[in-house]
Amino acid sequence: MGMTKADRRMDGWADGAALLALLLLSAYPPIRLSAQDTTAGRAVYEKWCAGCHGETGAGDGPAAGTMLPRPRDFTGAIYQIRTTASGQLPTDDDLRLAIDRGLPGTAMPGWKDQLSERDRRDVLAYLKTFSAFFADTTQRPEPLVFGKEPGGGTSVDALRIGRQFYDSIGCRKCHGDRGRGDGPSAPTLKDDAGFPVFAANLTENWRFNGGSEVADIYRRLRSGLDGTPMPSFSDLIDQQFLTEAELWRLAQYVRSLSPARPPEVRDVIHARQVAARLPTSPDDSVWGRVERYWVPLVGQVMRKSRWFTPAASGVWVQAVHDGQQLALRVSWDDRSQSPDSAWLEFTDRVLETVARDDSTPPAPTPWPDQLAVQFPLAIPEGFERPFFLMGAATRPVYQWRWTSTPGGVREDSLSAAVAGLARGIDRFDPLPGTPLSAQAVYDQGEWRVVFSRSLATADTANQLHLRTGRAIPVAFFAWDGSNGETGTRMAVSTWYFLALDTPVRAQVFVSPILAAALALGLGLTLVRRAQRPRSQIRRRSDA
Ligand code: HEC
Ligand code: HEC
């Protein structure tokens, strides 16, 4: 709705008669609240917001303790999503945008589809009563003038200029060379309240708090994310270090680090059959031609100790086989090559901050990074699969586990990867002498691990016999040691399918898999919804 200048001007009209007239004319509740309007906004707030933001708006609702970043403390009136200068209040339009869209990448959901327009206006007005700053009518927030985005934003020249300023302004100190949030300052970052905060991963723009597109990014660069270490760069324009047009180029460069569209989630991971040698190295050029599948991960919140704030938001999976062997590559962003003692203080702060359901926080240790790929012990005939969360004592699952510190999985093992049986979330029994190999590289904030194993196995009692042309259930788990993730504190996926395609009779084999996937589609969606935090559900349905 086009409620912009006129409404803001309205805020300043203190005269009761004028207000009443406007109220009757526009049905828009003015910000100088009548008792009745406060009541309406308050009712909405108490029902939908107080659980996180707290009754008094201090950001300390009953659910707040599990969240990082924490829900906003409205009493401080410090806001991220602004079109105003750093240190200024947001405009009503800014607040409206934050409430409508939510803050992607955090627990803050968007409310556009959940609440009526009237409820959203009322609650916005009520939010402002938590801080006296909004009552001061001599300090109306003034939006910055942003100018227009220069064209040609995806051209080589534009991106080169953008990259130049990315380096010279020092974005990489926090965000890292490739933008994965792994810069040298990253382990030291805290927000104004002293909570640990990650430098945003600039390759996942769908998780930017203030929106994913060039104009959103540009606004954040001009306004900063107040309350966090992310500064405003408007002063660099004032100091003529760069022009507005050049800052736009920087925003265009940042946008170019993410894919054109957020990755799409598909149920079946296809492994093509290749005649050539299988790529066993993570950086084999063959991987550049193998399709990638995005598998989203969420915190493990079903079993104690639960984990609400996992570092990894998903993994990319690629697979090829040659009829004898399977090569499976998993790549995921991780800001730290754990164990890394530079992150130990950060780990400590995370564990101190995020409530766990066991009473004493574990002493922070430089834990390794880990990954698990999970299959059932045998390919199921029907749709029944073991419990996705690492099976059960009576029904184990077959897993490949990789760790960044070989020997961390099994003292006597020199291999970084080991196959074994998980019998529930806290019991993993390695299978000695299994023919599984793995190679890993850590590169600029990303792990790439290739697992290789023969399709067939003689030990079908303990190991999965991989077969072509079947829908093989598969699931993934990731741990970022520097984020305090070990044991049950991890990121999990639900079941997906791996299909080892065959070139000759592709048609014959693909269709039963598709049929199975279709039949399962609904079940999968429900499982995923149950696993996914509310904010993500809403964001997907927004898209
Ligand atoms: C599930 C928890 C949760 C609920 C429910 C919730 N919020 Fe939030 N909200 C958050 C978190 C977490 C943040 C801070 C995110 C950050 O700092 O990046 C936040 C931030 C905000 C912000 C700050 C935006 C900015 O520019 O900094 C506003 C405004 C806000 N919430 C409004 C609301 C309103 C209004 C409701 C109810 C209709 C609501 N929230 C319900 C978790 C929640
Ligand atoms: C001192 C460290 C630091 C520097 C320097 C820094 N950033 Fe950030 N940046 C952060 C942090 C921390 C966040 C995440 C804040 C949060 O999670 O709320 C962030 C978030 C962002 C975001 C996401 C915005 C959103 O809507 O969520 C973008 C884009 C970004 N930075 C770009 C840049 C660019 C471009 C530069 C250089 C001009 C830069 N940053 C310099 C620390 C920094």
Side-chain angles (χ1 to χ4, degrees):
M1 289 278 297
M3 274 178 296
T4 49
K5 285 189 198 115
D7 300 315
R8 233 174 288 129
R9 233 181 290 126
M10 205 167 66
D11 302 351
W13 291 10
D15 186 289
L19 277 178
L20 192 63
L22 267 174
L23 188 63
L24 291 172
L25 283 171
S26 72
Y28 176 63
I31 298 307
R32 305 248 61 85
L33 290 167
S34 68
Q36 186 193 344
D37 294 321
T38 317
T39 313
R42 181 186 191 145
V44 177
Y45 182 85
E46 284 177 354
K47 180 159 181 206
W48 298 102
C49 320
C52 290
H53 290 283
E55 293 283 325
T56 61
D60 58 356
T66 60
M67 289 168 203
L68 254 185
R70 282 284 205 268
R72 187 69 65 254
D73 172 355
F74 297 126
T75 64
I78 294 171
Y79 288 89
Q80 289 186 4
I81 311 309
R82 289 170 297 100
T83 51
T84 59
S86 179
Q88 301 284 303
L89 291 175
T91 66
D92 280 6
D93 283 342
D94 294 339
L95 285 171
R96 196 171 295 137
L97 194 67
I99 294 170
D100 283 0
R101 292 210 293 210
L103 272 67
T106 80
M108 168 69 187
W111 296 96
K112 193 158 195 218
D113 300 331
Q114 182 82 24
L115 297 177
S116 71
E117 188 157 349
R118 173 161 203 130
D119 283 352
R120 282 177 281 136
R121 275 184 216 150
D122 288 346
V123 79
L124 190 161
Y126 184 64
L127 283 192
K128 293 167 69 173
T129 65
F130 286 126
S131 164
F133 288 112
F134 284 107
D136 180 355
T137 47
T138 61
Q139 290 197 17
R140 285 271 149 246
E142 272 305 318
L144 296 162
V145 179
F146 290 128
K148 250 189 76 188
E149 178 183 353
T154 53
S155 72
V156 175
D157 274 349
L159 298 181
R160 187 181 42 76
I161 294 169
R163 172 71 204 203
Q164 209 172 303
F165 285 104
Y166 185 84
D167 291 337
S168 64
I169 298 176
C171 312
R172 53 191 299 164
K173 267 189 247 154
C174 294
H175 292 287
D177 187 54
R178 306 286 166 84
R180 295 199 181 104
D182 59 326
S185 302
T188 66
L189 300 177
K190 305 177 210 176
D191 67 15
D192 284 6
F195 293 123
V197 55
F198 278 137
N201 181 341
L202 303 182
T203 69
E204 296 184 352
N205 70 331
W206 62 94
R207 294 168 59 80
F208 289 176
N209 295 359
S212 56
E213 293 314 317
V214 174
D216 301 315
I217 298 167
Y218 178 79
R219 284 191 198 108
R220 298 296 82 76
L221 295 178
R222 291 292 306 275
S223 67
L225 290 174
D226 284 6
T228 85
M230 170 70 188
S232 147
F233 299 96
S234 283
D235 55 340
L236 295 183
I237 296 175
D238 303 339
Q239 295 158 13
Q240 300 183 351
F241 179 83
L242 83 178
T243 64
E244 272 197 66
E246 285 164 338
L247 195 67
W248 274 107
R249 291 295 186 223
L250 176 53
Q252 290 164 338
Y253 169 75
V254 170
R255 176 63 188 85
S256 77
L257 298 173
S258 295
R261 275 175 298 123
E264 168 197 352
V265 180
R266 290 171 288 176
D267 293 332
V268 184
I269 296 158
H270 287 276
R272 261 192 308 130
Q273 179 160 0
V274 294
R277 168 195 56 84
L278 281 188
T280 52
S281 150
D283 289 335
D284 194 307
S285 60
V286 168
W287 293 116
R289 301 189 294 275
V290 177
E291 191 162 3
R292 304 198 301 168
Y293 296 84
W294 173 252
V295 174
L297 302 178
V298 298
Q300 188 289 110
V301 297
M302 297 185 78
R303 296 282 310 276
K304 286 180 176 183
S305 302
R306 297 178 224 279
W307 193 237
F308 293 89
T309 56
S313 67
V315 294
W316 289 102
V317 183
Q318 295 167 284
V320 282
H321 73 100
D322 62 4
Q324 303 293 320
Q325 291 265 329
L326 169 70
L328 182 95
R329 184 170 93 152
V330 186
S331 323
W332 71 103
D333 289 357
D334 186 324
R335 294 169 178 83
S336 50
Q337 183 178 7
S338 312
D340 177 353
S341 53
W343 281 82
L344 202 53
E345 228 181 280
F346 191 92
T347 313
D348 195 17
R349 257 183 268 133
V350 169
L351 290 172
E352 288 284 314
T353 309
V354 183
R356 295 149 311 268
D357 23 30
D358 36 320
S359 44
T360 39
T365 310
W367 287 295
D369 293 328
Q370 297 177 69
L371 186 86
V373 184
Q374 169 179 295
F375 306 94
L377 244 177
I379 302 174
E381 288 304 327
F383 291 146
E384 222 206 301
R385 285 154 300 170
F387 185 42
F388 79 96
L389 204 53
M390 304 206 175
T394 49
R395 195 160 176 207
V397 286
Y398 173 66
Q399 290 188 343
W400 298 339
R401 289 203 177 188
W402 168 87
T403 169
S404 57
T405 50
V409 173
R410 216 155 45 97
E411 293 303 333
D412 62 335
S413 166
L414 284 180
S415 164
V418 58
L421 298 181
R423 298 182 158 86
I425 197 164
D426 33 31
R427 173 146 175 221
F428 179 72
D429 300 323
L431 295 162
T434 51
L436 173 72
S437 63
Q439 285 188 40
V441 294
Y442 182 80
D443 173 33
Q444 307 278 6
E446 185 188 53
W447 278 112
R448 297 188 282 273
V449 180
V450 176
F451 296 91
S452 315
R453 210 207 77 174
S454 58
L455 302 190
T457 174
D459 181 15
T460 49
N462 291 308
Q463 309 231 9
L464 171 68
H465 193 100
L466 294 154
R467 292 173 198 283
T468 56
R470 301 281 301 273
I472 306 167
V474 62
F476 301 86
F477 303 83
W479 292 258
D480 175 1
S482 299
N483 194 40
E485 296 172 17
T486 182
T488 59
R489 297 197 302 274
M490 62 180 142
V492 307
S493 81
T494 182
W495 285 115
Y496 286 78
F497 292 105
L498 175 66
L500 310 185
D501 297 340
T502 47
V504 216
R505 293 155 65 197
Q507 292 308 326
V508 184
F509 284 115
V510 165
S511 40
I513 291 164
L514 272 184
L518 277 179
L520 271 167
L522 183 62
L524 267 178
T525 311
L526 291 178
V527 171
R528 266 193 225 127
R529 273 175 182 253
Q531 282 181 46
R532 202 182 299 141
R534 307 186 62 173
S535 57
Q536 287 195 17
I537 296 172
R538 220 160 278 122
R539 235 180 306 126
R540 283 197 84 207
S541 52
D542 276 350

Coordinates of all heavy atoms in Angstrom, one line a residue, residues 50-55 60-66:
A50 N 5.2 -11.1 22.1 CA 5.8 -11.1 23.4 C 6.6 -12.3 23.8 O 7.5 -12.3 24.5 CB 4.7 -10.8 24.5
G51 N 6.2 -13.4 23.2 CA 6.9 -14.7 23.4 C 8.4 -14.6 23.1 O 9.2 -15.2 23.8
C52 N 8.7 -13.8 22.1 CA 10.1 -13.6 21.8 C 10.6 -12.2 22.4 O 11.6 -12.2 23.0 CB 10.3 -13.6 20.3 SG 10.2 -15.2 19.6
H53 N 9.8 -11.2 22.1 CA 10.3 -9.8 22.5 C 10.1 -9.4 23.9 O 10.6 -8.4 24.4 CB 9.7 -8.8 21.5 CG 10.2 -8.9 20.1 ND1 11.5 -8.4 19.8 CD2 9.7 -9.4 19.0 CE1 11.7 -8.7 18.5 NE2 10.6 -9.3 18.0
G54 N 9.3 -10.2 24.7 CA 9.0 -10.0 26.1 C 7.9 -9.0 26.3 O 7.6 -8.1 25.5
E55 N 7.2 -9.2 27.4 CA 6.0 -8.3 27.8 C 6.4 -6.8 27.7 O 5.6 -6.0 27.3 CB 5.5 -8.6 29.2 CG 4.9 -10.0 29.3 CD 3.5 -10.1 28.8 OE1 2.8 -9.1 28.9 OE2 3.2 -11.2 28.2
D60 N 13.3 -10.1 25.9 CA 13.6 -11.2 26.8 C 12.4 -12.1 27.1 O 12.1 -12.6 28.2 CB 14.1 -10.6 28.2 CG 13.0 -9.7 28.8 OD1 12.0 -9.4 28.1 OD2 13.2 -9.2 29.9
G61 N 11.6 -12.4 26.0 CA 10.5 -13.3 26.1 C 10.9 -14.7 26.4 O 12.1 -15.0 26.4
P62 N 10.0 -15.6 26.8 CA 10.4 -16.9 27.2 C 11.2 -17.7 26.2 O 12.0 -18.5 26.5 CB 9.0 -17.6 27.5 CG 8.0 -16.6 27.4 CD 8.6 -15.3 27.0
A63 N 11.0 -17.4 24.9 CA 11.7 -18.2 23.9 C 13.1 -17.5 23.5 O 13.9 -18.1 22.8 CB 10.8 -18.2 22.6
A64 N 13.3 -16.3 24.1 CA 14.5 -15.6 23.6 C 15.8 -16.3 23.9 O 16.8 -16.2 23.1 CB 14.5 -14.2 24.3
G65 N 15.9 -17.1 25.0 CA 17.2 -17.7 25.4 C 17.7 -18.7 24.4 O 18.9 -19.0 24.5
T66 N 16.9 -19.2 23.5 CA 17.4 -20.1 22.5 C 17.9 -19.5 21.2 O 18.4 -20.1 20.3 CB 16.3 -21.1 22.1 OG1 15.3 -20.4 21.5 CG2 15.8 -21.9 23.2

